[in-house]
Amino acid sequence: MSINKDAHGGNVYNAGSQYNLDINEILDYSANINPLGVPQTLQQAIINNFDLLTHYPDPDYMNARRSLANWHGIEKSNIIMGNGATEIIFLLMEVFKPRKILIPCPSFSEYEQAAITAGCKVEHYRIKEEEDFIINVQDLINNIHKEIEMLILCNPNNPTSQIIKKDKMKEILSFCRENGITVVIDEAFIDFTDEQLHLSMVDQLEIYPNLFIIKALTKFFAIPGLRLGYGIAGERFIKRMEHKKQPWTLNNFASMAAEILPHDVEYIRVSSQWIKEEGVRFFQLLSKIEGIKVFKPSSNFILIKLLDPHLTSGILCDKMMGNGILIRNAENFTFLDKQYIRIAIKDGRSNDIFIQRLKQTLMEGKQHELYT
Amino acid sequence: MSINKDAHGGNVYNAGSQYNLDINEILDYSANINPLGVPQTLQQAIINNFDLLTHYPDPDYMNARRSLANWHGIEKSNIIMGNGATEIIFLLMEVFKPRKILIPCPSFSEYEQAAITAGCKVEHYRIKEEEDFIINVQDLINNIHKEIEMLILCNPNNPTSQIIKKDKMKEILSFCRENGITVVIDEAFIDFTDEQLHLSMVDQLEIYPNLFIIKALTKFFAIPGLRLGYGIAGERFIKRMEHKKQPWTLNNFASMAAEILPHDVEYIRVSSQWIKEEGVRFFQLLSKIEGIKVFKPSSNFILIKLLDPHLTSGILCDKMMGNGILIRNAENFTFLDKQYIRIAIKDGRSNDIFIQRLKQTLMEGKQHELYT
């Protein structure tokens, strides 16, 4: 495996050392993390429970799984805990070793890396820019042929920030169930979507035994440094994976977080409010900027296309970093190129700074013909 | 892989729920953790750095590796970080896939599990009770035949608490170097040994390119729940492993701990003083108890043989747990049986309680002929 060290964004550590900035001085628009920061409830629980660290983790993570099961209205036997979603993704490929995987792209690169590491073949389905990167579900189904044993869908998808609606997802799941194909749905960003849409497929577990859902609390609760992911599936799936899993991969603060965070209704409420309001406002401001095409987001990040052929994503990222703003150069996503960047939606104040610096950078470039 | 969930001790969570005790009410003699608890310096650093959690980990763990490299007097290119020693052990087997491994036993079971998971064959060398479980190095060397590609040595060894001295270790390393055999030395408990012995082989890295050392800060600094291990070897070894390693396996508090703890000289000093004094005192008290044979420890845990043939380790563990004390039934270590238990060395007050309850349990059993 050759690790894509930028899979989650532009690597704030590299950027910091390259531009001689402390990581706290950087406005990080490359990682899609809730700007509300680490929940106070979790901070207080850590302070009150340092002694937890003196014990090895519970190898069965009973309390964490019970809490998440209650939250999702499922059984704890439907849950496997992971050291970030990464562990679940790699374990999934290693255990099931599907011969061929279909991944609609552009999408999160870790699935492909994990598949290749496990010796699986990968086929890409092209999500069309001319359809604003919204997956045409019937066309996708038409492209699932009999060699495909697993389909990967990120919902919302990264980096496009587009969703597949529930009824459409059911069509895919039904087709795949009838054809013996496992469908992996990555819902890592689903808590940022409009709750009216009820996108999550967790309530469909009994109807679709071919369904495997990957979750993470780390984006919505702003704790990617704590490492906390999990998989949801039928008991048979989970048991096969448990059997191959390394023990004690989740640290005790992460498993405690799984117990606490689903109950932090205030943090959830404020965050939902923020993404609803600031997401719309930021998108509208961005849409008014000349020289870029902004794809309307359904999550907490936005895909942008640079329309000036002389301006590459690499140049723009470099210029923005010179102004202390780290953005995600999206050129290495399959089917994207040097015209694409991805940015997070942050708090209003940061977003205003972002807008101002982006405008300035685009303007200066034009004036000085720096783009060539 | 069938995980041995008791590999690190008797699983305080199971015991707690079985005997209806809160885990904080249990005197845990089954896990070999420094009783001084989580260092104050680390607690304070966590409180001051909650924001660290909002970033993904540095995929290269530069600061953590630099700190450990300085501590050990090596280069950071000689270090690979792991989510506990467990990740390093499994990765080591997966990457090198030695055809046959020799493990002197009884020893820590995780190496065998990892080897089997990776499809390697395992051979055991019997460490002799009649030699007080001290490895006869010449005899061990005589038993290394040409099919062996890797030798595993825990120094100190778990559960025997016995060591291999440095000059003897060099003999083994030289023999193995000449015969193309990799030697893995697990030094997870080495900080509890007499510092005058200078047992660590970290300073021998350049002389023995066949050397791979596994380290953990979690026992000495009492943070097994944080998950923090690392491997030390020549750059070529490390590079091959980095290539196969999953990204972001270490959480940000663990990597911060690797930066802070080597500088906590006061914690290190007090801990060394404790093990030197309390280790001797506890051993002497235990040695006076009739009906058990106590093997003189070189680390922070003690192997004990029950001499009454009617008293099994299972019965004793059960009786002790009834008194709120969890001990490690050592019967499932290769070459041990129902006569063996392993206990940690804890603080003086706890050790006095332990002595008193052990005596009482042995006495009661004799009086009531409970052992049959």
Side-chain angles (χ1 to χ4, degrees):
Chain A
M1 166 181 57
S2 179
I3 296 163
N4 178 359
K5 289 184 175 171
D6 289 341
H8 285 293
N11 192 343
V12 72
Y13 305 91
N14 263 353
S17 80
Q18 206 178 326
Y19 290 83
N20 205 18
L21 291 169
D22 184 274
I23 61 166
N24 295 315
E25 294 177 80
I26 298 172
L27 266 186
D28 184 7
Y29 274 79
S30 75
N32 308 322
I33 301 303
N34 188 338
L36 267 70
V38 182
Q40 287 295 328
T41 51
L42 178 61
Q43 296 189 24
Q44 198 52 54
I46 288 175
I47 291 170
N48 294 344
N49 290 282
F50 279 116
D51 277 357
L52 266 188
L53 296 186
T54 64
H55 297 285
Y56 281 88
D58 171 9
D60 297 314
Y61 296 108
M62 292 300 248
N63 292 341
R65 286 163 63 217
R66 193 175 291 125
S67 163
L68 295 171
N70 283 341
W71 196 31
H72 293 303
I74 53 177
E75 299 296 321
K76 69 180 187 311
S77 54
N78 295 124
I79 296 180
I80 182 168
M81 302 304 298
N83 180 32
T86 306
E87 185 190 4
I88 304 294
I89 294 170
F90 278 81
L91 187 61
L92 185 73
M93 298 300 170
E94 195 192 316
V95 170
F96 296 102
K97 290 192 188 296
R99 271 175 299 180
K100 203 169 224 181
I101 294 172
L102 184 65
I103 308 180
C105 286
S107 194
F108 184 44
S109 61
E110 216 156 272
Y111 287 94
E112 181 155 352
Q113 290 171 31
I116 291 167
T117 302
C120 314
K121 283 188 180 153
V122 174
E123 203 169 293
H124 300 128
Y125 167 82
R126 181 192 281 268
I127 311 175
K128 293 169 192 68
E129 193 214 317
E130 37 303 7
E131 294 173 354
D132 287 338
F133 292 110
I134 297 164
I135 290 180
N136 180 328
V137 167
Q138 195 49 56
D139 188 59
L140 171 65
I141 290 176
N142 293 343
N143 278 275
I144 302 176
H145 55 79
K146 64 180 179 188
E147 281 177 39
I148 303 297
E149 293 185 350
M150 185 182 275
L151 171 65
I152 310 287
L153 296 168
C154 297
N155 202 29
N157 187 38
N158 175 3
T160 61
S161 203
Q162 303 307 316
I163 55 162
I164 297 173
K165 289 197 177 148
K166 196 151 188 165
D167 55 340
K168 291 289 175 188
M169 196 61 102
K170 285 181 184 174
E171 283 180 34
I172 299 172
L173 277 163
S174 295
F175 174 85
C176 288
R177 183 183 55 194
E178 280 148 39
N179 290 279
I181 298 162
T182 301
V183 181
V184 177
I185 303 179
D186 185 326
E187 298 189 348
F189 290 102
I190 210 156
D191 297 320
F192 294 108
T193 63
D194 185 342
E195 59 200 20
Q196 307 291 325
L197 292 172
H198 296 291
L199 288 184
S200 177
M201 301 305 278
V202 169
D203 58 358
Q204 303 294 306
L205 221 51
E206 290 186 14
I207 302 166
Y208 301 104
N210 57 327
L211 173 59
F212 193 101
I213 298 169
I214 291 185
K215 291 269 194 185
L217 298 183
T218 45
K219 284 94 160 112
F220 191 77
F221 291 101
I223 47 169
L226 193 58
R227 317 305 299 135
L228 174 54
Y230 52 107
I232 294 179
E235 212 176 313
R236 270 188 54 234
F237 261 158
I238 299 295
K239 273 203 176 148
R240 279 184 65 186
M241 288 177 69
E242 286 287 3
H243 190 68
K244 271 267 188 185
K245 190 182 178 328
Q246 282 177 31
W248 306 288
T249 54
L250 209 69
N251 71 80
N252 285 350
F253 285 158
S255 59
M256 184 176 71
E259 290 181 59
I260 289 169
L261 296 179
H263 301 291
D264 194 341
V265 288
E266 184 59 14
Y267 186 95
I268 295 171
R269 192 190 62 75
V270 175
S271 301
S272 304
Q273 193 67 24
W274 153 74
I275 186 65
K276 203 175 280 179
E277 294 172 5
E278 184 59 21
V280 172
R281 190 187 77 93
F282 191 37
F283 169 69
Q284 285 172 345
L285 288 175
L286 285 166
S287 300
K288 289 179 192 153
I289 297 175
E290 268 183 52
I292 59 173
K293 178 176 178 185
V294 187
F295 296 91
K296 193 178 179 190
S298 291
S299 185
N300 64 325
F301 53 91
I302 303 177
L303 183 68
I304 293 176
K305 185 177 185 182
L306 309 177
L307 299 177
D308 184 332
H310 299 298
L311 174 62
T312 65
S313 53
I315 293 173
L316 184 68
C317 290
D318 191 50
K319 296 277 164 218
M320 289 295 279
M321 193 61 222
N323 285 318
I325 294 181
L326 181 61
I327 56 182
R328 175 71 156 92
N329 182 346
E331 68 173 313
N332 59 357
F333 282 96
T334 302
F335 301 137
L336 295 188
D337 59 28
K338 289 179 183 175
Q339 289 185 277
Y340 293 91
I341 60 166
R342 188 199 67 198
I343 59 170
I345 299 170
K346 293 173 78 84
D347 60 286
R349 202 169 148 267
S350 300
N351 291 339
D352 286 340
I353 296 172
F354 181 91
I355 293 277
Q356 180 249 318
R357 295 203 186 154
L358 177 65
K359 277 184 181 167
Q360 190 186 330
T361 307
L362 291 169
M363 191 79 78
E364 281 173 5
K366 241 180 180 164
Q367 282 168 355
H368 299 91
E369 293 178 5
L370 281 172
Y371 296 160
T372 44
Chain B
M1 167 180 56
S2 180
I3 296 162
N4 178 359
K5 289 184 174 168
D6 289 341
H8 286 292
N11 193 344
V12 72
Y13 305 92
N14 264 353
S17 80
Q18 206 178 327
Y19 290 82
N20 205 20
L21 290 169
D22 183 276
I23 62 166
N24 295 314
E25 294 177 79
I26 298 171
L27 265 186
D28 184 6
Y29 274 80
S30 75
N32 307 322
I33 301 302
N34 187 339
L36 267 70
V38 182
Q40 288 296 329
T41 51
L42 178 60
Q43 297 189 23
Q44 198 52 55
I46 287 174
I47 292 170
N48 294 345
N49 290 282
F50 278 116
D51 277 358
L52 266 188
L53 296 185
T54 65
H55 296 286
Y56 280 88
D58 171 9
D60 296 314
Y61 296 108
M62 292 300 250
N63 293 340
R65 287 162 63 217
R66 193 175 292 123
S67 163
L68 295 171
N70 283 342
W71 196 31
H72 293 303
I74 54 177
E75 299 295 320
K76 68 179 189 310
S77 54
N78 295 123
I79 296 180
I80 182 167
M81 302 303 298
N83 180 32
T86 305
E87 185 190 4
I88 304 294
I89 294 170
F90 278 81
L91 188 61
L92 184 73
M93 297 300 169
E94 195 192 316
V95 170
F96 296 102
K97 289 191 189 297
R99 271 175 299 180
K100 203 171 224 179
I101 294 171
L102 184 65
I103 308 180
C105 287
S107 194
F108 184 45
S109 60
E110 217 157 271
Y111 286 94
E112 181 153 354
Q113 290 170 32
I116 290 166
T117 302
C120 314
K121 283 189 181 151
V122 174
E123 203 169 294
H124 300 129
Y125 167 82
R126 180 192 281 268
I127 310 176
K128 294 169 192 70
E129 192 213 317
E130 36 309 2
E131 293 173 354
D132 288 338
F133 292 110
I134 296 164
I135 290 180
N136 180 327
V137 167
Q138 194 49 55
D139 188 59
L140 171 66
I141 289 175
N142 292 344
N143 278 274
I144 302 175
H145 55 80
K146 64 179 180 190
E147 280 177 40
I148 303 297
E149 294 185 350
M150 185 182 276
L151 171 66
I152 310 286
L153 296 168
C154 297
N155 201 28
N157 188 38
N158 174 4
T160 61
S161 203
Q162 303 307 316
I163 56 163
I164 297 173
K165 289 198 179 149
K166 196 151 189 166
D167 55 340
K168 291 289 175 187
M169 197 61 102
K170 285 181 184 173
E171 282 180 34
I172 299 172
L173 276 163
S174 295
F175 175 85
C176 289
R177 183 184 54 193
E178 280 149 38
N179 290 278
I181 298 162
T182 301
V183 181
V184 177
I185 303 178
D186 185 325
E187 298 189 350
F189 290 101
I190 211 156
D191 297 320
F192 293 107
T193 63
D194 185 344
E195 59 200 19
Q196 307 291 326
L197 291 171
H198 297 291
L199 288 184
S200 177
M201 300 305 278
V202 169
D203 59 358
Q204 303 294 309
L205 222 51
E206 289 186 15
I207 302 167
Y208 301 103
N210 58 327
L211 172 60
F212 193 100
I213 297 169
I214 292 185
K215 290 269 194 186
L217 297 184
T218 45
K219 284 96 161 108
F220 190 77
F221 291 101
I223 47 169
L226 193 58
R227 316 306 299 133
L228 174 54
Y230 53 106
I232 293 179
E235 212 175 313
R236 272 188 54 234
F237 261 157
I238 299 294
K239 274 203 176 149
R240 279 184 65 185
M241 287 177 70
E242 286 287 2
H243 190 68
K244 272 267 189 185
K245 189 182 179 327
Q246 282 177 32
W248 307 288
T249 54
L250 208 69
N251 72 79
N252 285 349
F253 286 157
S255 59
M256 184 177 71
E259 291 181 59
I260 288 169
L261 297 178
H263 301 291
D264 194 342
V265 287
E266 185 59 11
Y267 187 94
I268 295 171
R269 191 189 62 75
V270 175
S271 301
S272 303
Q273 193 67 23
W274 153 75
I275 187 64
K276 203 174 283 178
E277 294 172 4
E278 185 58 21
V280 171
R281 191 188 76 94
F282 192 37
F283 169 69
Q284 285 172 346
L285 288 173
L286 286 165
S287 300
K288 289 179 191 154
I289 298 175
E290 267 183 51
I292 59 173
K293 178 176 179 185
V294 187
F295 296 91
K296 193 179 179 188
S298 291
S299 185
N300 65 326
F301 53 91
I302 304 177
L303 183 67
I304 294 176
K305 186 177 185 182
L306 310 176
L307 299 177
D308 184 331
H310 299 298
L311 173 62
T312 66
S313 52
I315 293 173
L316 184 68
C317 289
D318 191 51
K319 296 278 165 216
M320 290 294 280
M321 193 60 222
N323 285 319
I325 294 181
L326 182 61
I327 55 182
R328 175 71 155 95
N329 181 345
E331 68 173 314
N332 60 357
F333 283 97
T334 303
F335 300 137
L336 295 189
D337 58 29
K338 290 178 182 174
Q339 289 185 277
Y340 292 91
I341 60 166
R342 188 198 68 198
I343 60 170
I345 299 170
K346 293 174 79 84
D347 60 286
R349 203 171 148 267
S350 300
N351 291 339
D352 286 341
I353 296 171
F354 181 91
I355 293 276
Q356 180 249 321
R357 295 200 186 156
L358 178 65
K359 277 183 181 167
Q360 189 186 331
T361 307
L362 291 168
M363 192 78 78
E364 281 173 5
K366 240 180 184 167
Q367 283 169 355
H368 299 89
E369 292 179 5
L370 280 172
Y371 296 161
T372 46

